[in-house]
C-alpha cells in the first residue's frame, strides 16, 4: 500500500470522528465567533462556494540551506499540516467568512482522516468527499530553504484516483445547489468537468486556476468566468510573445472569460478585464505599451498592496487581435525579510481571497490589494495554512 511510503504517519495528531466514512461537517466555533465583530462590513449575502480539486497532508521541514546531492543535514523546524491547492484555497475562504463545500477524495488512512478533520475544524464542508477503503491519501514533502526563502515540493498522489462515477447525481446536485461560485484548481479534471457542466447550466460563475498545462484543463477553461494563472502559463498556453499579449489572447480565445489574472510572486499580478459595456469608440492601445505606462505610475515607496488601472481601452496586440477592456497592475506587500518565513500556499491564499472578493462584489481596485494582503499574511508562518488570516485580522480591516 502506497501510504507506507510516508515515515511520518504516526506524527499526525488525530481526534477521530466516530464514523469516518460519513465525514460529517462541523462548523468551526472559532470561525463563527469571529463573524460577530461589529467593526467589520457585513458578510456577503451569498456565501456558499463549491470547490473541486486537490487535498493532501504536507510534511514541512525548514533547512538552513537546500542540501547538495548526498548531503545529510538537519531540519531547523518541522510541521505536519493539511495542504493541496483546493484545500488551502477553501480553508482561506472559510476563515474569511464564506461557507465552502469541497469535492475531493482521500483514503481511509491516517493521512485521510487528518485531512478531513483539519478542513472541518476550519469550517469547510467535507460531506461530499469520496473516501476509499483502500489505497493511500495524497501527501507532499515540502523543504523550505531559509536562505533563499524558496520551497521544494515532492508530491505523492492519492490512489485510487477520483473518477466521475464515484460522485452520485444526487451528491452533485446537492453540492451545486445554492452555490454562488464554483472553483477548480485544475486537478481531478474528469470529475471537475461534470461539475462545471452542471454549474454552467445553472449560470453559476466558475473560477479556474491554470497553474500549468494539464490534461482536461482546456475543457475546464472553456467554462471559466474567471481564470487565475501562474507566471508562465499564459504564454505557454497561447504561444504569445509577452504576458500582456498572452492575456489578451486568452480573452479572445475564451469568450466566457470576464477577466484573467497572472500572478507574479513578489512582483504582484497583472489583470485584464473584458468590458461589458462595449465602448467601441475607446482609444486603441498596444497592451505592452499600456502595461509599461501603468508600471511608471507605481509608487515604489509604498509597502502595502496597491492597484493601478487603465481606463476602458481597445486593447490590441499585433497578430492577436483587439478587445475592449481594462488592464490592472496589482502590487504585492513588501514583506520585511525578517518576517518572511514560507511562501508555500501563497497562490492558494490569493485565490481564496479572490473568491471572497467576488462574492462580496469588490471592484478590481479593491479586490487585488485585498487578495495580495491575504497572501502576504500567509507568508509569515510555516505552511500554507498556519498564517492564513481570519476575517477579523487587524491587517485586513482597511482592505475589507
Amino acid at each position: 500500500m502506497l501510504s507506507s511510503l510516508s515515515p511520518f504517519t504516526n506524527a499526525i495528531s488525530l481526534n477521530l470522528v466516530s464514523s469516518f466514512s460519513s465525514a460529517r461537517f462541523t462548523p468551526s466555533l472559532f470561525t463563527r465567533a469571529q463573524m460577530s465583530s461589529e467593526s467589520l462590513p457585513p458578510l456577503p449575502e451569498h456565501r456558499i462556494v463549491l470547490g473541486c480539486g486537490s487535498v493532501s497532508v504536507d510534511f514541512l521541514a525548514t533547512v538552513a540551506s537546500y542540501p547538495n546531492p548526498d548531503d545529510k543535514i538537519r531540519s531547523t523546524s518541522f510541521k505536519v499540516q493539511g495542504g493541496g491547492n483546493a484545500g488551502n484555497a477553501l480553508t482561506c475562504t472559510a476563515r474569511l467568512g464564506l461557507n465552502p463545500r469541497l469535492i475531493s477524495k482521500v483514503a481511509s488512512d491516517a493521512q485521510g482522516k487528518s485531512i478531513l478533520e483539519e478542513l472541518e475544524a476550519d469550517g469547510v464542508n467535507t460531506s461530499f468527499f469520496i473516501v476509499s477503503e483502500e489505497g493511500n491519501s495524497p501527501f507532499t514533502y515540502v523543504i523550505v530553504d531559509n536562505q533563499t526563502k524558496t520551497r521544494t515540493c515532492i508530491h505523492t498522489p492519492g490512489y485510487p484516483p477520483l473518477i466521475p462515477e464515484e460522485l452520485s447525481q444526487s451528491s452533485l446536485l446537492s453540492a451545486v445547489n445554492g452555490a454562488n461560485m464554483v472553483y477548480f484548481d485544475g486537478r481531478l479534471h474528469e470529475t471537475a468537468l461534470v461539475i462545471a457542466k452542471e454549474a454552467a447550466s445553472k449560470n453559476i460563475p466558475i473560477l479556474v486556476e491554470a497553474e500549468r498545462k494539464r490534461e482536461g484543463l482546456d475543457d475546464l477553461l472553456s467554462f471559466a468566468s474567471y481564470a487565475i494563472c501562474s507566471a508562465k502559463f499564459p504564454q505557454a498556453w497561447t504561444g504569445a510573445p509577452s504576458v500582456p499579449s498572452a492575456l489578451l489572447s486568452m480573452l479572445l480565445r475564451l469568450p466566457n472569460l470576464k477577466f484573467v489574472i497572472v500572478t507574479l510572486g513578489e512582483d504582484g499580478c497583472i489583470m485584464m478585464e473584458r468590458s461589458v459595456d462595449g465602448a467601441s469608440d475607446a482609444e486603441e492601445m498596444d497592451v505592452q505599451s499600456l502595461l509599461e505606462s501603468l508600471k511608471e505610475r507605481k509608487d515604489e515607496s509604498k509597502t502595502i498592496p496597491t492597484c493601478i488601472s487603465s481606463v476602458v481601452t481597445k486593447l490590441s496586440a499585433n497578430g492577436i487581435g483587439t478587445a475592449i477592456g481594462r488592464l490592472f497592475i496589482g502590487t504585492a506587500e513588501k514583506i520585511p525579510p525578517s518576517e518572511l518565513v514560507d511562501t508555500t500556499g501563497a497562490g492558494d491564499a490569493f485565490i481564496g481571497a479572490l473568491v471572497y472578493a467576488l462574492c462580496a462584489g469588490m471592484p478590481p481596485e479593491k479586490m487585488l490589494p485585498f487578495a495580495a494582503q491575504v497572501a502576504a499574511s500567509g507568508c509569515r508562518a510555516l505552511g500554507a495554512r498556519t498564517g492564513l488570516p481570519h476575517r477579523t485580522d487587524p491587517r485586513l480591516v482597511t482592505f475589507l
Side-chain angles (χ1 to χ4, degrees):
M1 188 180 293
L2 283 176
S3 59
S4 64
L5 291 174
S6 168
F8 301 113
T9 300
N10 294 329
I12 304 174
S13 175
L14 299 174
N15 292 308
L16 301 184
V17 293
S18 58
S19 177
F20 169 67
S21 60
S22 61
R24 298 301 180 192
F25 168 58
T26 305
S28 164
L29 293 175
F30 183 53
T31 302
R32 289 205 303 265
Q34 290 195 11
M35 293 181 187
S36 64
S37 174
E38 296 179 0
S39 62
L40 297 172
L43 283 163
E45 181 180 355
H46 303 289
R47 297 194 290 276
I48 298 175
V49 295
L50 173 64
C52 175
S54 64
V55 294
S56 75
V57 172
D58 287 352
F59 300 99
L60 299 119
T62 62
V63 295
S65 61
Y66 195 81
N68 295 313
D70 287 330
D71 275 358
K72 291 184 178 180
I73 63 172
R74 291 190 176 187
S75 62
T76 58
S77 62
F78 176 74
K79 181 182 286 289
V80 181
Q81 186 177 72
N85 291 36
N88 294 338
L90 291 193
T91 295
C92 179
T93 67
R95 293 191 186 182
L96 293 174
L98 299 185
N99 300 330
R101 304 165 176 169
L102 180 54
I103 296 173
S104 193
K105 184 176 182 177
V106 295
S108 182
D109 55 12
Q111 287 98 326
K113 294 169 184 177
S114 176
I115 287 168
L116 290 186
E117 224 180 21
E118 189 174 336
L119 288 168
E120 290 164 1
D122 261 310
V124 179
N125 185 333
T126 65
S127 63
F128 301 101
F129 264 66
I130 305 300
V131 180
S132 171
E133 292 302 318
E134 299 180 348
N136 69 280
S137 297
F139 61 92
T140 304
Y141 301 112
V142 184
I143 302 172
V144 181
D145 186 337
N146 284 335
Q147 186 177 64
T148 62
K149 304 295 184 182
T150 58
R151 85 285 186 272
T152 301
C153 301
I154 306 168
H155 181 64
T156 298
Y159 184 84
L162 178 64
I163 58 175
E165 290 75 17
E166 292 179 291
L167 182 66
S168 68
Q169 183 68 13
S170 61
S171 290
L172 170 63
L173 295 177
S174 295
V176 172
N177 183 48
N180 189 53
M181 181 173 297
V182 178
Y183 154 65
F184 301 107
D185 70 3
R187 280 89 166 172
L188 312 179
H189 67 276
E190 292 177 332
T191 304
L193 188 58
V194 172
I195 300 168
K197 289 177 179 178
E198 182 64 29
S201 72
K202 291 177 165 47
N203 296 315
I204 301 172
I206 293 172
L207 186 150
V208 175
E209 176 183 356
E211 192 174 41
R212 59 183 174 85
K213 288 185 175 182
R214 299 181 188 277
E215 185 179 358
L217 181 57
D218 287 10
D219 293 329
L220 275 181
L221 283 171
S222 69
F223 287 96
S225 313
Y226 315 101
I228 317 298
C229 310
S230 64
K232 296 180 180 179
F233 180 84
Q235 286 179 264
W237 193 71
T238 64
S242 67
V243 170
S245 62
L247 297 182
L248 178 59
S249 180
M250 290 185 70
L251 278 187
L252 294 173
R253 292 188 187 189
L254 302 169
N256 292 325
L257 268 190
K258 296 179 180 179
F259 68 63
V260 55
I261 294 175
V262 58
T263 57
L264 304 170
E266 64 182 13
D267 292 323
C269 68
I270 301 170
M271 170 177 163
M272 189 173 290
E273 177 188 50
R274 191 192 310 272
S275 174
V276 295
D277 298 326
S280 57
D281 58 343
E283 179 184 2
E284 182 171 330
M285 286 199 68
D286 175 73
V287 287
Q288 186 63 49
S289 300
L290 182 58
L291 177 63
E292 295 304 321
S293 70
L294 294 182
K295 287 181 178 180
E296 292 176 1
R297 291 166 49 193
K298 287 171 62 175
D299 185 348
E300 298 294 345
S301 67
K302 290 188 176 181
T303 59
I304 64 171
T306 60
C307 178
I308 303 103
S309 64
S310 75
V311 297
V312 175
T313 304
K314 183 178 288 187
L315 306 165
S316 70
N318 188 36
I320 292 175
T322 62
I324 306 296
R326 292 198 293 167
L327 192 65
F328 301 81
I329 289 179
T331 67
E333 182 185 355
K334 295 179 181 178
I335 304 174
S338 60
E339 297 180 22
L340 179 60
V341 176
D342 179 18
T343 60
T344 301
D348 306 331
F350 184 86
I351 289 174
L354 286 178
V355 171
Y356 175 89
L358 288 166
C359 290
M362 289 186 189
E365 293 86 350
K366 187 174 182 179
M367 175 178 71
L368 296 182
F370 170 72
Q373 184 66 24
V374 171
S377 298
C379 294
R380 288 176 160 88
L382 179 62
R385 300 183 190 173
T386 309
L388 280 179
H390 290 267
R391 189 166 178 266
T392 51
D393 191 308
R395 289 170 295 189
L396 300 186
V397 171
T398 59
F399 292 90
L400 282 167

